Amino acid sequence: MAFFQEPPTLGNLYTTDRALRSYLARALPADVMRAVEPELAEMGELSGGFFWELDRRYRGTEPRLVQWDPWGNRIDAIEITPVWEAAARVAAEKGVVATAYERKHGELSRIHQYALAYLFDGSTEVYTCPLAMTDGAAKTLLVHGNKQLVDRAIPRLTSRDPARAWTSGQWMTERTGGSDVAISETVARKDGEQWRLYGTKWFTSATTSQMALTLARPEGNPPGGHGLALFYVELRDDDGRLRNIQVNRLKDKLGTRMVPTAELTLDGAPATPVVGLNDGIKHIAPMLNITRTWNAVGACTAMRKGLALARDYAKKRVAFGAPLAQKPLHVDTLAGLQAELEGALLLTFRCVELLGREEARTMTEEEAVLLRLLTPIAKATTGKQAVASASEILESFGGAGYVEDTGLPRILRDAQVLPIWEGTTNVLSLDLLRALVKAGSLAPIEREVTRRVENVEDASLAAAGRVATEAVAHARAWLEKTIAKGQPAVEAGARRFALTLGRALELALLVDHAAWAASRGDPRPAAAARRFAHSPVDLVLDDETADDARLLVED
C-alpha cells in the first residue's frame, strides 16, 4: 500500500499549553483560576478544533471587494471569509474584548482577557486585528471621557451580543507614511456644526468595522503633530451606505490576507473630535499601548501554534527508521523554539499584569514608568522572535513547510507583519529612548531584572540570572557612554539596545518563574531558562559607530 503522510493537528490549545497553564497557576489566585479555567479550556478547544477545521475547509478564501451593485450603484461592500464570520460571533459571545471592561476579577481581568485572546488567535485568521483596535478604541474613548462618544460607542464595543457588537478601525497610515504620522495630509473642515474629513488613508485594516479613530488636521491648524486632532468616524449610515467614504481597493499583501486591509478616500466623511482640536498624536497614545500589547500576544500565539503543529508532526513523521520526536537534533531545535516562546509569553504577560493594575488604579508610580518602558520593548522583542520562530518551524517540516496547500507557509507570512504593525522595530526603539528620557534613567528596568533573579538558590538558574543582569548593566554602560557622542550614535545602536533589554527581561522572568515552578516539582521552566541563557541576550556593540554604518551602506 502506498504511503501517505498523516498531517499535523492542533487539538485543545489550552490543555496542551504547559507554559500558559504554569504561568496562570502562579499569576491567578486559586478561586480566580477555578472561575476562568473552564472558559480558557473551551476557547482552546474552539480554536484548536472548530476553527482549525473551518480554516482548513476554507483555506485560500480571501475577502472580496464588491464596488458596484447589479444596477450600477457604488456600494463598496467587503465580503469577509466564513472564518471571520464565525470569529466575529465567537469573539463577542466569549468576551474576548468585553472581559477586560467587565472587570469581574479586578486587576486580574486583563490577564483573563489576554489569555482568551492568545488562545482565540490560534486559528481565526487574524481576527484579532479588529479586536485589538476595538479594545484600543474603547480604552481611548474612556480615557478621554467624551460622554457623547462613550455613551454611543462603549456599550457596542464591549458587547457580548453579536448582533449589537461593534469593532473599530484605526486609520493612521497615509501616502506620506505610517511611522511619521505628523505629516498626515487628511484635512478636517467645519460644515455648519459638523466636521468633515477629506483625504486618503493608505492602509486601513479590518475596514468592515462600524467605526474608526483617525487623525486629521483641522483647517487653519499648523503643520506637525501638534496641529493634528483625533476624530471619531462611523463608517455607514442606518441604511448601510458608506458615509462619504470610498473603498479604492483591498491591499494585495504578503500575509494576513484574510484581513480586509483597504485604501480609502474620505470625501467629506462626517466626524466628531474625540478631545480638543490638536495634539492628536498624544491623544492616540492609549490606543497604541493596547494594540502593541495585542501585537505581542499575537506574536506569542504565532510561536505557540507553529510549535504545536511541529511537535505533533514530529510524533507522526518517520525518517531514518524513527519518528522525528526521537531524533536528538530535531528535539534540540524544537527545544530552542520552546524556550523563546516561554520568554516571550512571560514578558508579554508582565505588560498585561501592569496594564490591569493601571486600570484598577492599584499601580505604583514606578510600575507606571515600568509599563511605559516595557510596552515598546515587548512589542519589538516578541515581533522579531515570532518571525525567527516561524522560519524555523517551516524548516522543521522539510519540503511540506514550503508547500502552500499544507497551510504552513501562511504561518511565516502572517508572522512577518508582527514587527511592522503598531510601529516597526526601529520606531519602537526610538520610542523607548524617548520614554527613558522622561523616566530619567534605566533604573526601573534594572530593578525589575534584579528583583527577579537576586534570591534564586539553584546554581544553574543563578548563573542564568547573571547573564540577564550583566546584559542590562552593559546596556546602561553603553547608553551612558554613547550619549556623550551625540544623538546619531545613540540612534544607531537603539535597536540593539532595545532588544538586549527585551531579551534580558525575558531571561530574568524565565529564571524567576523557573524557581517558583521547581519548588512545586516542575523542572521544565528551569530547562527553558537555562536554554535561553545560552542564546544571544546581550546584543549591544561597544565599538560600532554611526560612521561605520554609513560606510557600509554607501554605494
Side-chain angles (χ1 to χ4, degrees):
M1 181 180 292
F3 170 78
F4 293 95
Q5 177 62 49
E6 185 181 356
T9 57
L10 281 178
N12 189 309
L13 288 176
Y14 176 72
T15 59
T16 60
D17 194 332
R18 186 259 311 162
L20 175 66
R21 289 184 291 110
S22 179
Y23 164 75
L24 293 175
R26 184 183 183 192
L28 300 179
D31 61 329
V32 177
M33 188 68 177
R34 284 193 298 271
V36 306
E37 192 161 38
E39 295 179 40
L40 299 177
E42 182 184 17
M43 185 64 81
E45 182 60 36
L46 281 168
S47 192
F50 169 75
F51 278 112
W52 171 246
E53 291 302 323
L54 194 65
D55 181 56
R56 290 206 301 176
R57 187 186 315 160
Y58 291 102
R59 185 170 293 152
T61 304
E62 297 184 7
R64 188 170 74 99
L65 172 61
V66 180
Q67 290 188 303
W68 310 94
D69 75 4
W71 306 103
N73 298 299
R74 181 81 182 256
I75 56 172
D76 287 350
I78 298 174
E79 297 176 355
I80 59 176
T81 68
V83 173
W84 264 49
E85 290 179 355
R89 174 181 56 79
V90 170
E93 291 175 345
K94 305 304 179 186
V96 181
V97 172
T99 296
Y101 296 89
E102 293 165 350
R103 296 190 186 160
K104 293 178 182 177
H105 304 294
E107 67 179 42
L108 304 174
S109 297
R110 278 290 182 183
I111 297 176
H112 180 194
Q113 179 219 7
Y114 277 114
L116 283 170
Y118 167 77
L119 295 166
F120 175 84
D121 194 27
S123 302
T124 50
E125 295 184 349
V126 203
Y127 191 77
T128 44
C129 170
L131 296 183
M133 293 182 289
T134 300
D135 192 353
K139 177 68 178 278
T140 301
L141 293 176
L142 287 169
V143 165
H144 294 310
N146 184 321
K147 188 176 186 307
Q148 174 194 354
L149 298 181
V150 166
D151 291 347
R152 169 74 174 161
I154 295 300
R156 293 168 172 83
L157 295 173
T158 61
S159 176
R160 286 180 179 255
D161 179 359
R164 189 168 188 247
W166 280 6
T167 56
S168 177
Q170 174 185 314
W171 301 349
M172 303 297 148
T173 304
E174 300 188 8
R175 287 183 294 239
T176 50
S179 298
D180 187 3
V181 296
I183 54 176
S184 294
E185 295 178 331
T186 300
V187 174
R189 296 179 184 141
K190 200 74 178 288
D191 178 13
E193 295 301 311
Q194 177 69 67
W195 284 94
R196 295 187 178 275
L197 306 186
Y198 299 84
T200 300
K201 296 298 181 180
W202 195 239
F203 283 91
T204 63
S205 289
T207 318
T208 50
S209 295
Q210 289 81 8
M211 61 156 284
L213 296 183
T214 188
L215 296 175
R217 193 178 312 279
E219 276 192 318
N221 273 21
H226 177 69
L228 291 172
L230 178 62
F231 285 90
Y232 165 99
V233 177
E234 290 185 17
L235 276 68
R236 296 180 181 272
D237 61 22
D238 293 340
D239 295 322
R241 295 172 299 203
L242 286 168
R243 306 169 79 209
N244 299 81
I245 299 170
Q246 289 187 344
V247 181
N248 300 333
R249 56 176 170 167
L250 296 184
K251 295 295 192 179
D252 188 7
K253 299 171 294 180
L254 170 69
T256 64
R257 296 183 65 88
M258 284 65 175
V259 180
T261 304
E263 174 188 326
L264 302 181
T265 294
L266 310 180
D267 188 20
T272 303
V274 174
V275 50
L277 292 175
N278 52 29
D279 288 330
I281 296 175
K282 181 178 73 174
H283 293 144
I284 204 69
M287 170 172 268
L288 294 177
N289 290 337
I290 294 292
T291 53
R292 286 172 176 175
T293 304
W294 275 82
N295 199 99
V297 170
C300 294
T301 300
M303 298 167 75
R304 159 64 179 151
K305 177 182 178 180
L307 265 168
L309 291 170
R311 290 173 65 179
D312 184 68
Y313 186 72
K315 298 172 186 175
K316 298 172 177 176
R317 179 63 173 171
V318 174
F320 304 105
L324 293 177
Q326 296 177 15
K327 302 290 185 181
L329 184 54
H330 195 80
V331 171
D332 184 78
T333 301
L334 297 186
L337 298 178
Q338 180 68 26
E340 291 289 322
L341 165 62
E342 294 189 30
L345 189 72
L346 291 175
L347 177 57
T348 297
F349 274 87
R350 179 62 178 135
C351 294
V352 171
E353 291 169 11
L354 292 171
L355 179 60
R357 288 180 60 78
E358 175 199 54
E359 293 176 341
R361 299 184 180 179
T362 57
M363 173 182 276
T364 66
E365 288 186 13
E366 175 157 324
E367 286 175 329
V369 174
L370 183 63
L371 176 60
R372 175 65 182 90
L373 297 173
L374 288 190
T375 301
I377 290 173
K379 192 278 181 185
T381 305
T382 59
K384 302 303 283 185
Q385 287 174 293
V387 175
S389 176
S391 179
E392 286 283 5
I393 289 297
L394 262 60
E395 187 176 343
S396 77
F397 283 92
Y402 203 66
V403 176
E404 280 294 341
D405 59 6
T406 65
L408 296 168
R410 202 175 85 199
I411 296 174
L412 179 58
R413 291 201 308 272
D414 287 356
Q416 187 60 62
V417 81
L418 294 165
I420 298 173
W421 268 349
E422 309 308 321
T424 64
T425 308
N426 286 356
V427 166
L428 291 161
S429 300
L430 297 176
D431 183 45
L432 172 62
L433 292 180
R434 288 189 292 271
L436 281 171
V437 169
K438 292 183 180 179
S441 76
L442 203 56
I445 291 177
E446 291 179 297
R447 283 193 287 268
E448 176 76 4
V449 169
T450 300
R451 181 173 69 85
R452 298 288 177 171
V453 304
E454 61 184 350
N455 295 319
V456 172
E457 296 179 357
D458 179 88
S460 65
L461 290 179
R466 286 193 293 275
V467 173
T469 56
E470 289 168 4
V472 174
H474 185 204
R476 175 175 50 79
W478 171 85
L479 183 62
E480 292 173 350
K481 178 182 68 175
T482 310
I483 285 175
K485 297 180 181 180
Q487 190 66 16
V490 177
E491 287 192 11
R495 172 195 283 243
R496 291 184 291 275
F497 173 75
L499 294 176
T500 294
L501 294 179
R503 294 189 65 78
L505 283 158
E506 288 187 354
L507 178 53
L509 291 163
L510 282 167
V511 168
D512 183 37
H513 188 70
W516 174 86
S519 70
R520 286 152 179 79
D522 184 358
R524 292 169 294 186
R530 288 190 294 266
R531 179 60 178 259
F532 197 99
H534 290 292
S535 69
V537 175
D538 186 349
L539 307 177
V540 170
L541 300 179
D542 287 313
D543 53 357
E544 186 177 346
T545 68
D547 289 337
D548 283 342
R550 279 193 294 271
L551 286 172
L552 287 170
V553 299
E554 285 179 351
D555 292 334

